[in-house]
Amino acid sequence: MSQLLENIEIETAPNPTVAIIWMHGLGADGNDFVPLVRELDLNGLPGIRFVFPHAGTMPVTINGGYVMRAWYDIMGTDLVRREDEAGLRKSQVQIEALIEREKARGIPASRIILAGFSQGCAMTLQTGLRHPEKLAGLMCLSGYVPLSAKVPTERTAESMHTPVFMVHGRDDGVIPVARAVQSRDLLQSMGYQVEWHEYMMQHSLCQEEIMDISAWLKKVLA
């Protein structure tokens, strides 16, 4: 098995019974969302282990071949016509390894949430829809479903029972909201339960979104 991705861990209480594996966006790293843990209202929730992995580095085509942390290559602005399938699947295996580690540490799949922003959101869906067990949830921030034409045949029956939380900014200039709406509609057409929110923001986070994340966590972890 490939070496486990380097990651940052934050535990909200000793012996946590929930894990949230949270993937960063293109060019960022695991530190990106660490400050958000303090902003989330986690009152009443069990102990949570937040795992923030660092993606590996690679040349990114859309950025002129500049080497940066990325879960997969971005070939062009449309995100659909030419996708880095090999890169997506390689990162999927690495995220699955993080899930397996949490299970080995005593947290069942049903108490593991995959979360991610932008490219990290794409990886949340790439991995979560194909996972052979029901997860506690998929938290999908400002992203889209990659390899969407292959999802209907590759998704697992178990993943159908995993709740999906999708949010997007109406003024997102990096991943247009229409792309995210297409992804939401695809998931709903296959029978997934999707909670959808959109906000007056760009490719970022906002305070209303943070409140909605807290409320969703309390719902799926109740």
Side-chain angles (χ1 to χ4, degrees):
M1 193 178 78
S2 59
Q3 189 175 1
L4 209 63
L5 288 171
E6 292 184 20
N7 59 88
I8 298 164
E9 291 187 9
I10 297 175
E11 296 185 354
T12 63
N15 305 311
T17 58
V18 172
I20 300 179
I21 302 170
W22 198 319
M23 277 71 71
H24 60 77
L26 177 66
D29 66 17
N31 291 286
D32 210 25
F33 286 95
V34 167
L36 197 66
V37 175
R38 292 193 300 271
E39 295 186 46
L40 291 170
D41 176 9
L42 303 175
N43 284 330
L45 287 175
I48 300 173
R49 177 184 295 124
F50 286 90
V51 179
F52 298 100
H54 307 304
T57 59
M58 67 174 71
V60 176
T61 302
I62 199 172
N63 291 337
Y66 188 79
V67 175
M68 60 180 63
R69 289 198 183 273
W71 296 104
Y72 52 93
D73 193 13
I74 302 283
M75 315 290 196
T77 54
D78 74 353
L79 303 172
V80 179
R81 269 205 297 271
R82 292 161 56 218
E83 291 188 272
D84 176 16
E85 182 170 347
L88 281 154
R89 294 193 188 279
K90 178 182 177 184
S91 288
Q92 177 187 341
V93 170
Q94 293 175 318
I95 294 163
E96 285 285 358
L98 291 171
I99 295 173
E100 290 304 311
R101 182 180 66 164
E102 292 311 310
K103 289 165 56 182
R105 293 199 282 187
I107 297 180
S110 61
R111 301 297 277 173
I112 297 173
I113 289 173
L114 293 184
F117 173 78
S118 194
Q119 261 205 348
C121 169
M123 287 315 309
T124 293
L125 289 160
Q126 172 72 19
T127 308
L129 300 178
R130 293 165 176 82
H131 191 70
E133 302 161 287
K134 176 190 179 296
L135 297 169
L138 305 179
M139 187 198 303
C140 309
L141 314 179
S142 300
Y144 62 97
V145 175
L147 306 180
S148 58
K150 301 193 175 189
V151 170
T153 56
E154 293 184 357
R155 67 187 165 119
T156 62
E158 293 80 6
S159 75
M160 299 288 299
H161 305 290
T162 299
V164 181
F165 176 84
M166 289 188 79
V167 301
H168 216 89
R170 295 191 188 106
D171 299 322
D172 193 324
V174 177
I175 300 173
V177 67
R179 180 78 182 88
V181 168
Q182 288 172 352
S183 294
R184 177 201 67 191
D185 293 349
L186 170 67
L187 294 175
Q188 289 178 333
S189 73
M190 291 187 293
Y192 287 91
Q193 296 299 309
V194 181
E195 180 177 325
W196 169 265
H197 300 269
E198 52 186 84
Y199 312 101
M200 292 304 299
M201 67 176 185
Q202 298 179 352
H203 196 60
S204 60
L205 273 74
C206 65
Q207 190 58 43
E208 184 183 357
E209 177 182 355
I210 292 168
M211 292 166 61
D212 287 337
I213 289 171
S214 296
W216 179 75
L217 288 175
K218 290 179 179 180
K219 184 162 64 175
V220 299
L221 297 175

